[in-house]
Amino acid sequence: MSNITLHTLSSMKQAGEKFAVLTAYDACFSHLVSSAGTEVILVGDSLGMVLQGNDSTLPVTVEEMAYHTQAVAKGNQGSLIMADLPFMSYSTPEQAMDSAAALMQAGANMVKLEGGAWLADTISMLAERGIPVCAHLGLTPQTVNKLGGYRVQGRDQETAQQMINDAVLLQDAGASIILLECVPAILAKEITLALDVPVIGIGAGADTDAQVLVLHDMLGITPGRSPKFVKNFMADADSIEAAVQLYVAEVKAGTFPAQEHGFA
């Protein structure tokens, strides 16, 4: 696979080609995931839960994100690397600049942050200085305490319209990608059609431009009950590599996620 860039992803959206995103947190899985044709590797602050055993992503630090981003970059075989800015590492544009610089210098190709319209100035400042941004809307795990738990967002008309407005505003501010988590499929489709930039979904139906899952979830090794939007790809595979290849193939074919993996 030749190196994936933002131009690659934008061209895929325009051509109606779906792309696959998976998390990875180390060089070994980075090599496996990228070699399987996954266009984007997300170094997610989800590592706080799946690697560190925390009950949320909140304890993760910029230093920890940089460490794992550096490891992922060493194993990567051409995927675009997106790294999360962790909780309270971008509360001001200036702080966001410092945090994003640390992750970009560790090997990220872009950063992801969670939030709506209040992030417009921050995204604009980052983009102007050469740092590509993915804006994460819908269920934003870093604000889980304010949201009252891990709940589907945008089910009523007012919050749905606000999410559409925020997505357009953040795109116009300079966001190169929008990620939607746990939103009704019909809303995710509307946002995807409204935007020029690619939209990645997780628990957001099949009509987004791409899908993302946590690697440990799609391999069926995360303890406890899996979220509705997760499919265990190991169930139909004889190796981890085959499971990842199956995930990539189903995302590109549009067969994952199926209706049972989404929300009305």
Side-chain angles (χ1 to χ4, degrees), residues 220-252:
I221 58 176
T222 305
R225 195 179 76 174
S226 293
K228 180 182 180 182
F229 54 75
V230 170
K231 176 178 176 179
N232 178 2
F233 285 85
M234 277 299 293
D236 298 311
D238 57 8
S239 69
I240 293 175
E241 184 179 23
V244 173
Q245 290 171 343
L246 182 61
Y247 165 75
V248 172
E250 290 197 10
V251 168
K252 289 180 174 296

PDB file of all heavy atoms in Angstrom, residues 220-252:
ATOM      1  N   GLY A 220     -12.631  -9.353  19.746  1.00  0.00           N
ATOM      2  CA  GLY A 220     -13.393 -10.060  20.768  1.00  0.00           C
ATOM      3  C   GLY A 220     -12.635 -10.329  22.050  1.00  0.00           C
ATOM      4  O   GLY A 220     -12.960 -11.272  22.779  1.00  0.00           O
ATOM      5  N   ILE A 221     -11.633  -9.497  22.355  1.00  0.00           N
ATOM      6  CA  ILE A 221     -10.821  -9.757  23.554  1.00  0.00           C
ATOM      7  C   ILE A 221     -11.014  -8.709  24.648  1.00  0.00           C
ATOM      8  O   ILE A 221     -10.388  -8.806  25.699  1.00  0.00           O
ATOM      9  CB  ILE A 221      -9.317  -9.869  23.215  1.00  0.00           C
ATOM     10  CG1 ILE A 221      -8.802  -8.599  22.532  1.00  0.00           C
ATOM     11  CG2 ILE A 221      -9.064 -11.090  22.336  1.00  0.00           C
ATOM     12  CD1 ILE A 221      -7.299  -8.626  22.272  1.00  0.00           C
ATOM     13  N   THR A 222     -11.887  -7.732  24.414  1.00  0.00           N
ATOM     14  CA  THR A 222     -12.182  -6.758  25.470  1.00  0.00           C
ATOM     15  C   THR A 222     -13.114  -7.399  26.488  1.00  0.00           C
ATOM     16  O   THR A 222     -14.155  -7.946  26.112  1.00  0.00           O
ATOM     17  CB  THR A 222     -12.852  -5.504  24.870  1.00  0.00           C
ATOM     18  OG1 THR A 222     -12.017  -4.979  23.834  1.00  0.00           O
ATOM     19  CG2 THR A 222     -13.052  -4.442  25.945  1.00  0.00           C
ATOM     20  N   PRO A 223     -12.768  -7.346  27.782  1.00  0.00           N
ATOM     21  CA  PRO A 223     -13.635  -7.955  28.799  1.00  0.00           C
ATOM     22  C   PRO A 223     -15.002  -7.281  28.857  1.00  0.00           C
ATOM     23  O   PRO A 223     -15.150  -6.106  28.509  1.00  0.00           O
ATOM     24  CB  PRO A 223     -12.867  -7.720  30.114  1.00  0.00           C
ATOM     25  CG  PRO A 223     -11.461  -7.435  29.713  1.00  0.00           C
ATOM     26  CD  PRO A 223     -11.544  -6.765  28.375  1.00  0.00           C
ATOM     27  N   GLY A 224     -15.991  -8.031  29.307  1.00  0.00           N
ATOM     28  CA  GLY A 224     -17.322  -7.474  29.478  1.00  0.00           C
ATOM     29  C   GLY A 224     -18.145  -7.509  28.209  1.00  0.00           C
ATOM     30  O   GLY A 224     -17.749  -8.071  27.188  1.00  0.00           O
ATOM     31  N   ARG A 225     -19.309  -6.860  28.281  1.00  0.00           N
ATOM     32  CA  ARG A 225     -20.234  -6.855  27.152  1.00  0.00           C
ATOM     33  C   ARG A 225     -19.791  -5.846  26.097  1.00  0.00           C
ATOM     34  O   ARG A 225     -19.427  -4.722  26.415  1.00  0.00           O
ATOM     35  CB  ARG A 225     -21.644  -6.487  27.639  1.00  0.00           C
ATOM     36  CG  ARG A 225     -22.733  -6.803  26.638  1.00  0.00           C
ATOM     37  CD  ARG A 225     -24.093  -6.441  27.182  1.00  0.00           C
ATOM     38  NE  ARG A 225     -24.306  -4.986  27.150  1.00  0.00           N
ATOM     39  CZ  ARG A 225     -25.458  -4.409  27.465  1.00  0.00           C
ATOM     40  NH1 ARG A 225     -26.482  -5.140  27.868  1.00  0.00           N
ATOM     41  NH2 ARG A 225     -25.584  -3.092  27.418  1.00  0.00           N
ATOM     42  N   SER A 226     -19.834  -6.262  24.847  1.00  0.00           N
ATOM     43  CA  SER A 226     -19.434  -5.374  23.754  1.00  0.00           C
ATOM     44  C   SER A 226     -20.535  -4.371  23.442  1.00  0.00           C
ATOM     45  O   SER A 226     -21.721  -4.689  23.555  1.00  0.00           O
ATOM     46  CB  SER A 226     -19.133  -6.184  22.486  1.00  0.00           C
ATOM     47  OG  SER A 226     -17.998  -6.990  22.653  1.00  0.00           O
ATOM     48  N   PRO A 227     -20.160  -3.166  23.013  1.00  0.00           N
ATOM     49  CA  PRO A 227     -21.171  -2.207  22.552  1.00  0.00           C
ATOM     50  C   PRO A 227     -21.931  -2.758  21.354  1.00  0.00           C
ATOM     51  O   PRO A 227     -21.435  -3.623  20.628  1.00  0.00           O
ATOM     52  CB  PRO A 227     -20.340  -0.986  22.150  1.00  0.00           C
ATOM     53  CG  PRO A 227     -19.039  -1.127  22.882  1.00  0.00           C
ATOM     54  CD  PRO A 227     -18.799  -2.598  22.987  1.00  0.00           C
ATOM     55  N   LYS A 228     -23.119  -2.234  21.127  1.00  0.00           N
ATOM     56  CA  LYS A 228     -23.971  -2.690  20.039  1.00  0.00           C
ATOM     57  C   LYS A 228     -23.285  -2.574  18.682  1.00  0.00           C
ATOM     58  O   LYS A 228     -23.505  -3.390  17.788  1.00  0.00           O
ATOM     59  CB  LYS A 228     -25.277  -1.882  20.044  1.00  0.00           C
ATOM     60  CG  LYS A 228     -26.247  -2.275  18.932  1.00  0.00           C
ATOM     61  CD  LYS A 228     -27.505  -1.409  18.951  1.00  0.00           C
ATOM     62  CE  LYS A 228     -28.453  -1.823  17.832  1.00  0.00           C
ATOM     63  NZ  LYS A 228     -29.658  -0.979  17.779  1.00  0.00           N
ATOM     64  N   PHE A 229     -22.443  -1.541  18.526  1.00  0.00           N
ATOM     65  CA  PHE A 229     -21.845  -1.270  17.214  1.00  0.00           C
ATOM     66  C   PHE A 229     -20.644  -2.150  16.896  1.00  0.00           C
ATOM     67  O   PHE A 229     -20.059  -2.041  15.828  1.00  0.00           O
ATOM     68  CB  PHE A 229     -21.465   0.208  17.080  1.00  0.00           C
ATOM     69  CG  PHE A 229     -20.583   0.734  18.190  1.00  0.00           C
ATOM     70  CD1 PHE A 229     -19.238   0.413  18.256  1.00  0.00           C
ATOM     71  CD2 PHE A 229     -21.116   1.560  19.171  1.00  0.00           C
ATOM     72  CE1 PHE A 229     -18.434   0.895  19.266  1.00  0.00           C
ATOM     73  CE2 PHE A 229     -20.322   2.063  20.195  1.00  0.00           C
ATOM     74  CZ  PHE A 229     -18.977   1.729  20.240  1.00  0.00           C
ATOM     75  N   VAL A 230     -20.268  -3.045  17.812  1.00  0.00           N
ATOM     76  CA  VAL A 230     -19.084  -3.886  17.620  1.00  0.00           C
ATOM     77  C   VAL A 230     -19.470  -5.227  16.994  1.00  0.00           C
ATOM     78  O   VAL A 230     -20.484  -5.825  17.343  1.00  0.00           O
ATOM     79  CB  VAL A 230     -18.361  -4.124  18.963  1.00  0.00           C
ATOM     80  CG1 VAL A 230     -17.272  -5.190  18.816  1.00  0.00           C
ATOM     81  CG2 VAL A 230     -17.754  -2.822  19.470  1.00  0.00           C
ATOM     82  N   LYS A 231     -18.638  -5.694  16.076  1.00  0.00           N
ATOM     83  CA  LYS A 231     -18.739  -7.057  15.547  1.00  0.00           C
ATOM     84  C   LYS A 231     -17.436  -7.780  15.847  1.00  0.00           C
ATOM     85  O   LYS A 231     -16.354  -7.215  15.668  1.00  0.00           O
ATOM     86  CB  LYS A 231     -18.991  -7.032  14.036  1.00  0.00           C
ATOM     87  CG  LYS A 231     -19.012  -8.427  13.405  1.00  0.00           C
ATOM     88  CD  LYS A 231     -19.303  -8.371  11.907  1.00  0.00           C
ATOM     89  CE  LYS A 231     -19.224  -9.751  11.276  1.00  0.00           C
ATOM     90  NZ  LYS A 231     -19.532  -9.745   9.831  1.00  0.00           N
ATOM     91  N   ASN A 232     -17.528  -9.010  16.314  1.00  0.00           N
ATOM     92  CA  ASN A 232     -16.346  -9.825  16.591  1.00  0.00           C
ATOM     93  C   ASN A 232     -15.906 -10.513  15.302  1.00  0.00           C
ATOM     94  O   ASN A 232     -16.475 -11.518  14.894  1.00  0.00           O
ATOM     95  CB  ASN A 232     -16.661 -10.853  17.672  1.00  0.00           C
ATOM     96  CG  ASN A 232     -15.481 -11.763  17.977  1.00  0.00           C
ATOM     97  OD1 ASN A 232     -14.399 -11.608  17.410  1.00  0.00           O
ATOM     98  ND2 ASN A 232     -15.679 -12.716  18.877  1.00  0.00           N
ATOM     99  N   PHE A 233     -14.890  -9.959  14.660  1.00  0.00           N
ATOM    100  CA  PHE A 233     -14.431 -10.498  13.385  1.00  0.00           C
ATOM    101  C   PHE A 233     -13.564 -11.748  13.551  1.00  0.00           C
ATOM    102  O   PHE A 233     -13.316 -12.466  12.574  1.00  0.00           O
ATOM    103  CB  PHE A 233     -13.682  -9.420  12.596  1.00  0.00           C
ATOM    104  CG  PHE A 233     -14.591  -8.395  11.974  1.00  0.00           C
ATOM    105  CD1 PHE A 233     -15.021  -7.299  12.706  1.00  0.00           C
ATOM    106  CD2 PHE A 233     -15.047  -8.553  10.679  1.00  0.00           C
ATOM    107  CE1 PHE A 233     -15.870  -6.353  12.136  1.00  0.00           C
ATOM    108  CE2 PHE A 233     -15.901  -7.623  10.103  1.00  0.00           C
ATOM    109  CZ  PHE A 233     -16.317  -6.518  10.841  1.00  0.00           C
ATOM    110  N   MET A 234     -13.128 -12.043  14.766  1.00  0.00           N
ATOM    111  CA  MET A 234     -12.381 -13.283  15.013  1.00  0.00           C
ATOM    112  C   MET A 234     -13.278 -14.507  14.920  1.00  0.00           C
ATOM    113  O   MET A 234     -12.794 -15.620  14.693  1.00  0.00           O
ATOM    114  CB  MET A 234     -11.709 -13.241  16.391  1.00  0.00           C
ATOM    115  CG  MET A 234     -10.381 -12.521  16.433  1.00  0.00           C
ATOM    116  SD  MET A 234      -9.090 -13.237  15.380  1.00  0.00           S
ATOM    117  CE  MET A 234      -8.817 -14.813  16.197  1.00  0.00           C
ATOM    118  N   ALA A 235     -14.571 -14.292  15.073  1.00  0.00           N
ATOM    119  CA  ALA A 235     -15.506 -15.423  15.053  1.00  0.00           C
ATOM    120  C   ALA A 235     -15.488 -16.141  13.714  1.00  0.00           C
ATOM    121  O   ALA A 235     -15.779 -17.343  13.635  1.00  0.00           O
ATOM    122  CB  ALA A 235     -16.923 -14.936  15.375  1.00  0.00           C
ATOM    123  N   ASP A 236     -15.155 -15.420  12.637  1.00  0.00           N
ATOM    124  CA  ASP A 236     -15.142 -16.014  11.295  1.00  0.00           C
ATOM    125  C   ASP A 236     -13.746 -16.032  10.690  1.00  0.00           C
ATOM    126  O   ASP A 236     -13.594 -16.111   9.459  1.00  0.00           O
ATOM    127  CB  ASP A 236     -16.085 -15.233  10.370  1.00  0.00           C
ATOM    128  CG  ASP A 236     -17.525 -15.291  10.832  1.00  0.00           C
ATOM    129  OD1 ASP A 236     -18.006 -16.405  11.120  1.00  0.00           O
ATOM    130  OD2 ASP A 236     -18.164 -14.222  10.922  1.00  0.00           O
ATOM    131  N   ALA A 237     -12.719 -15.960  11.544  1.00  0.00           N
ATOM    132  CA  ALA A 237     -11.348 -15.924  11.041  1.00  0.00           C
ATOM    133  C   ALA A 237     -10.475 -16.896  11.827  1.00  0.00           C
ATOM    134  O   ALA A 237     -10.762 -17.213  12.974  1.00  0.00           O
ATOM    135  CB  ALA A 237     -10.783 -14.505  11.155  1.00  0.00           C
ATOM    136  N   ASP A 238      -9.400 -17.362  11.185  1.00  0.00           N
ATOM    137  CA  ASP A 238      -8.522 -18.318  11.854  1.00  0.00           C
ATOM    138  C   ASP A 238      -7.232 -17.669  12.352  1.00  0.00           C
ATOM    139  O   ASP A 238      -6.334 -18.349  12.851  1.00  0.00           O
ATOM    140  CB  ASP A 238      -8.202 -19.502  10.938  1.00  0.00           C
ATOM    141  CG  ASP A 238      -7.577 -19.067   9.609  1.00  0.00           C
ATOM    142  OD1 ASP A 238      -7.244 -17.866   9.467  1.00  0.00           O
ATOM    143  OD2 ASP A 238      -7.415 -19.933   8.736  1.00  0.00           O
ATOM    144  N   SER A 239      -7.135 -16.343  12.203  1.00  0.00           N
ATOM    145  CA  SER A 239      -5.974 -15.625  12.716  1.00  0.00           C
ATOM    146  C   SER A 239      -6.340 -14.162  12.904  1.00  0.00           C
ATOM    147  O   SER A 239      -7.333 -13.678  12.339  1.00  0.00           O
ATOM    148  CB  SER A 239      -4.791 -15.722  11.749  1.00  0.00           C
ATOM    149  OG  SER A 239      -5.051 -14.999  10.558  1.00  0.00           O
ATOM    150  N   ILE A 240      -5.557 -13.446  13.680  1.00  0.00           N
ATOM    151  CA  ILE A 240      -5.784 -12.014  13.866  1.00  0.00           C
ATOM    152  C   ILE A 240      -5.668 -11.290  12.535  1.00  0.00           C
ATOM    153  O   ILE A 240      -6.479 -10.422  12.206  1.00  0.00           O
ATOM    154  CB  ILE A 240      -4.797 -11.444  14.906  1.00  0.00           C
ATOM    155  CG1 ILE A 240      -5.091 -12.019  16.293  1.00  0.00           C
ATOM    156  CG2 ILE A 240      -4.848  -9.920  14.924  1.00  0.00           C
ATOM    157  CD1 ILE A 240      -4.090 -11.615  17.354  1.00  0.00           C
ATOM    158  N   GLU A 241      -4.658 -11.668  11.769  1.00  0.00           N
ATOM    159  CA  GLU A 241      -4.458 -11.038  10.465  1.00  0.00           C
ATOM    160  C   GLU A 241      -5.684 -11.212   9.577  1.00  0.00           C
ATOM    161  O   GLU A 241      -6.140 -10.262   8.925  1.00  0.00           O
ATOM    162  CB  GLU A 241      -3.224 -11.624   9.787  1.00  0.00           C
ATOM    163  CG  GLU A 241      -2.872 -10.976   8.465  1.00  0.00           C
ATOM    164  CD  GLU A 241      -1.615 -11.571   7.848  1.00  0.00           C
ATOM    165  OE1 GLU A 241      -1.263 -12.721   8.183  1.00  0.00           O
ATOM    166  OE2 GLU A 241      -0.986 -10.867   7.036  1.00  0.00           O
ATOM    167  N   ALA A 242      -6.231 -12.430   9.561  1.00  0.00           N
ATOM    168  CA  ALA A 242      -7.410 -12.699   8.737  1.00  0.00           C
ATOM    169  C   ALA A 242      -8.614 -11.906   9.235  1.00  0.00           C
ATOM    170  O   ALA A 242      -9.435 -11.435   8.433  1.00  0.00           O
ATOM    171  CB  ALA A 242      -7.725 -14.190   8.741  1.00  0.00           C
ATOM    172  N   ALA A 243      -8.735 -11.742  10.549  1.00  0.00           N
ATOM    173  CA  ALA A 243      -9.852 -10.968  11.119  1.00  0.00           C
ATOM    174  C   ALA A 243      -9.771  -9.509  10.694  1.00  0.00           C
ATOM    175  O   ALA A 243     -10.784  -8.894  10.326  1.00  0.00           O
ATOM    176  CB  ALA A 243      -9.840 -11.083  12.639  1.00  0.00           C
ATOM    177  N   VAL A 244      -8.576  -8.947  10.731  1.00  0.00           N
ATOM    178  CA  VAL A 244      -8.400  -7.552  10.313  1.00  0.00           C
ATOM    179  C   VAL A 244      -8.685  -7.400   8.822  1.00  0.00           C
ATOM    180  O   VAL A 244      -9.356  -6.454   8.390  1.00  0.00           O
ATOM    181  CB  VAL A 244      -6.981  -7.048  10.670  1.00  0.00           C
ATOM    182  CG1 VAL A 244      -6.750  -5.661  10.082  1.00  0.00           C
ATOM    183  CG2 VAL A 244      -6.783  -7.034  12.180  1.00  0.00           C
ATOM    184  N   GLN A 245      -8.205  -8.343   8.025  1.00  0.00           N
ATOM    185  CA  GLN A 245      -8.470  -8.300   6.584  1.00  0.00           C
ATOM    186  C   GLN A 245      -9.969  -8.396   6.296  1.00  0.00           C
ATOM    187  O   GLN A 245     -10.485  -7.726   5.394  1.00  0.00           O
ATOM    188  CB  GLN A 245      -7.717  -9.428   5.881  1.00  0.00           C
ATOM    189  CG  GLN A 245      -6.213  -9.227   5.856  1.00  0.00           C
ATOM    190  CD  GLN A 245      -5.457 -10.446   5.350  1.00  0.00           C
ATOM    191  OE1 GLN A 245      -5.994 -11.556   5.301  1.00  0.00           O
ATOM    192  NE2 GLN A 245      -4.197 -10.251   4.963  1.00  0.00           N
ATOM    193  N   LEU A 246     -10.673  -9.218   7.077  1.00  0.00           N
ATOM    194  CA  LEU A 246     -12.118  -9.362   6.906  1.00  0.00           C
ATOM    195  C   LEU A 246     -12.831  -8.057   7.253  1.00  0.00           C
ATOM    196  O   LEU A 246     -13.754  -7.635   6.542  1.00  0.00           O
ATOM    197  CB  LEU A 246     -12.635 -10.506   7.786  1.00  0.00           C
ATOM    198  CG  LEU A 246     -14.131 -10.828   7.702  1.00  0.00           C
ATOM    199  CD1 LEU A 246     -14.515 -11.240   6.279  1.00  0.00           C
ATOM    200  CD2 LEU A 246     -14.487 -11.938   8.695  1.00  0.00           C
ATOM    201  N   TYR A 247     -12.393  -7.413   8.336  1.00  0.00           N
ATOM    202  CA  TYR A 247     -12.967  -6.121   8.724  1.00  0.00           C
ATOM    203  C   TYR A 247     -12.789  -5.099   7.597  1.00  0.00           C
ATOM    204  O   TYR A 247     -13.747  -4.426   7.189  1.00  0.00           O
ATOM    205  CB  TYR A 247     -12.307  -5.615  10.008  1.00  0.00           C
ATOM    206  CG  TYR A 247     -12.559  -4.162  10.310  1.00  0.00           C
ATOM    207  CD1 TYR A 247     -13.795  -3.731  10.798  1.00  0.00           C
ATOM    208  CD2 TYR A 247     -11.570  -3.197  10.105  1.00  0.00           C
ATOM    209  CE1 TYR A 247     -14.041  -2.393  11.061  1.00  0.00           C
ATOM    210  CE2 TYR A 247     -11.804  -1.854  10.369  1.00  0.00           C
ATOM    211  CZ  TYR A 247     -13.036  -1.457  10.843  1.00  0.00           C
ATOM    212  OH  TYR A 247     -13.268  -0.126  11.100  1.00  0.00           O
ATOM    213  N   VAL A 248     -11.576  -4.993   7.089  1.00  0.00           N
ATOM    214  CA  VAL A 248     -11.294  -4.034   6.016  1.00  0.00           C
ATOM    215  C   VAL A 248     -12.179  -4.325   4.801  1.00  0.00           C
ATOM    216  O   VAL A 248     -12.774  -3.415   4.208  1.00  0.00           O
ATOM    217  CB  VAL A 248      -9.805  -4.063   5.627  1.00  0.00           C
ATOM    218  CG1 VAL A 248      -9.546  -3.227   4.380  1.00  0.00           C
ATOM    219  CG2 VAL A 248      -8.939  -3.568   6.787  1.00  0.00           C
ATOM    220  N   ALA A 249     -12.280  -5.604   4.441  1.00  0.00           N
ATOM    221  CA  ALA A 249     -13.070  -5.989   3.270  1.00  0.00           C
ATOM    222  C   ALA A 249     -14.548  -5.656   3.457  1.00  0.00           C
ATOM    223  O   ALA A 249     -15.204  -5.153   2.531  1.00  0.00           O
ATOM    224  CB  ALA A 249     -12.898  -7.485   2.996  1.00  0.00           C
ATOM    225  N   GLU A 250     -15.088  -5.905   4.655  1.00  0.00           N
ATOM    226  CA  GLU A 250     -16.514  -5.649   4.895  1.00  0.00           C
ATOM    227  C   GLU A 250     -16.809  -4.149   4.948  1.00  0.00           C
ATOM    228  O   GLU A 250     -17.871  -3.706   4.506  1.00  0.00           O
ATOM    229  CB  GLU A 250     -16.969  -6.345   6.178  1.00  0.00           C
ATOM    230  CG  GLU A 250     -17.016  -7.853   6.034  1.00  0.00           C
ATOM    231  CD  GLU A 250     -17.847  -8.534   7.115  1.00  0.00           C
ATOM    232  OE1 GLU A 250     -18.560  -7.833   7.877  1.00  0.00           O
ATOM    233  OE2 GLU A 250     -17.785  -9.771   7.204  1.00  0.00           O
ATOM    234  N   VAL A 251     -15.887  -3.373   5.492  1.00  0.00           N
ATOM    235  CA  VAL A 251     -16.075  -1.917   5.494  1.00  0.00           C
ATOM    236  C   VAL A 251     -16.094  -1.398   4.065  1.00  0.00           C
ATOM    237  O   VAL A 251     -16.962  -0.609   3.674  1.00  0.00           O
ATOM    238  CB  VAL A 251     -14.970  -1.209   6.310  1.00  0.00           C
ATOM    239  CG1 VAL A 251     -15.001   0.299   6.070  1.00  0.00           C
ATOM    240  CG2 VAL A 251     -15.124  -1.507   7.800  1.00  0.00           C
ATOM    241  N   LYS A 252     -15.133  -1.834   3.253  1.00  0.00           N
ATOM    242  CA  LYS A 252     -15.042  -1.353   1.874  1.00  0.00           C
ATOM    243  C   LYS A 252     -16.243  -1.801   1.035  1.00  0.00           C
ATOM    244  O   LYS A 252     -16.693  -1.068   0.144  1.00  0.00           O
ATOM    245  CB  LYS A 252     -13.737  -1.841   1.247  1.00  0.00           C
ATOM    246  CG  LYS A 252     -12.500  -1.149   1.814  1.00  0.00           C
ATOM    247  CD  LYS A 252     -11.241  -1.678   1.139  1.00  0.00           C
ATOM    248  CE  LYS A 252     -10.038  -0.899   1.596  1.00  0.00           C
ATOM    249  NZ  LYS A 252     -10.106   0.527   1.200  1.00  0.00           N
TER     250      LYS A 252
END
